[in-house]
Amino acid sequence: MGKLVVVFMLFFLTKAMNFGGSSADEWHKSIEVVKEEEKATELHFYFHDTVSGKQPSAVRVAQAADSDKSPTFFGVVMMADDPLTENPEPTSKLVGRAQGLYGSAGQEELGLIMALNFGFIDGVYNGSSLSILGLNPALHPVRELPIVGGTGVFKRARGTAIAKTYRFDATTGDAIVEYNVTAYHY
Ligand SMILES: *[C@@H]1O[C@H](CO)[C@@H](O)[C@H](O)[C@H]1NC(C)=O
Ligand SMILES: *[C@@H]1O[C@H](CO)[C@@H](O)[C@H](O)[C@H]1NC(C)=O
């Protein structure tokens, strides 16, 4: 019995010492969760991916030795800064830019792994962004991509982006893609 008491005392003494030591820790603390109401926003715009010409908006930054022999260009990585416009015409109102990486991650079927920041510049959305991360089987008529986060108006966003090819030029590789995005945010 006496032994047990000593063990307990030692245990609490050690705990107390640990606690004393951690008071010097200033890099973390728990904070209260502020309950906010969830909001939802629907967006509709066109994504212009230009890989040809003198001023491409997407450029190849890496590839594997055999990428160009692969039917799916497996291993090619592109860096994009693509305009997002209100209508399909490239001259229509610029509402944002899709910036980031996409690369061929499929060997059997064309599948683009996309890690893009959709940054908006129009109206109340100016300065706000959505983050897209997912696989885009680009030859399917309609694709679904996950929204994994956001900033500004789109703080803590989750949602879905539906992509549909509006125009694809098989000679140049240039594409215009229609997007419908539903974002749930705070
Ligand atoms: C968006 O915000 C930036 C920085 O605050 C500002 O310079 C720019 O004019 C704004 N753009 C539009 C289209 O309102
Ligand atoms: C986006 O939504 C509009 C209106 O509901 C619809 O006409 C269009 O086909 C949709 N496009 C995509 C890519 O889902």
Side-chain angles (χ1 to χ4, degrees):
M1 187 66 195
K3 244 185 190 170
L4 207 62
V5 170
V6 172
V7 168
F8 267 108
M9 275 175 67
L10 271 175
F11 177 77
F12 284 115
L13 211 63
T14 324
K15 277 279 173 209
M17 276 156 67
N18 278 348
F19 187 76
S22 71
S23 69
D25 263 356
E26 284 175 357
W27 62 277
H28 59 83
K29 67 176 177 189
S30 294
I31 58 164
E32 244 177 80
V33 175
V34 180
K35 293 257 185 284
E36 287 171 289
E37 204 176 326
E38 193 176 34
K39 301 176 195 98
T41 303
E42 276 185 359
L43 303 170
H44 180 243
F45 51 81
Y46 293 82
F47 168 102
H48 299 262
D49 192 56
T50 308
V51 295
S52 71
K54 278 199 193 119
Q55 277 194 311
S57 63
V59 294
R60 191 192 279 217
V61 292
Q63 65 276 310
D66 288 339
S67 283
D68 287 324
K69 285 189 209 131
S70 155
T72 59
F73 298 100
F74 181 60
V76 168
V77 177
M78 306 286 289
M79 180 69 80
D81 182 356
D82 288 347
L84 302 174
T85 63
E86 189 169 34
N87 292 308
E89 301 77 43
T91 51
S92 70
K93 180 158 99 173
L94 187 72
V95 298
R97 311 196 73 83
Q99 294 172 286
L101 292 160
Y102 66 87
S104 177
Q107 300 195 72
E108 312 268 295
E109 187 190 16
L110 182 66
L112 303 175
I113 186 75
M114 309 192 57
L116 293 173
N117 183 79
F118 282 14
F120 299 95
I121 60 161
D122 193 46
V124 294
Y125 302 105
N126 188 13
S128 296
S129 70
L130 289 171
S131 295
I132 309 271
L133 179 65
L135 192 75
N136 176 7
L139 298 181
H140 290 201
V142 178
R143 292 87 69 186
E144 185 182 328
L145 294 164
I147 309 274
V148 297
T151 65
V153 167
F154 299 122
K155 183 161 57 102
R156 284 163 64 198
R158 282 285 184 274
T160 307
I162 305 293
K164 195 168 148 192
T165 304
Y166 176 82
R167 188 178 297 148
F168 177 68
D169 185 328
T171 317
T172 60
D174 295 348
I176 301 175
V177 182
E178 181 187 9
Y179 271 88
N180 274 340
V181 173
T182 308
Y184 299 91
H185 52 91
Y186 289 89

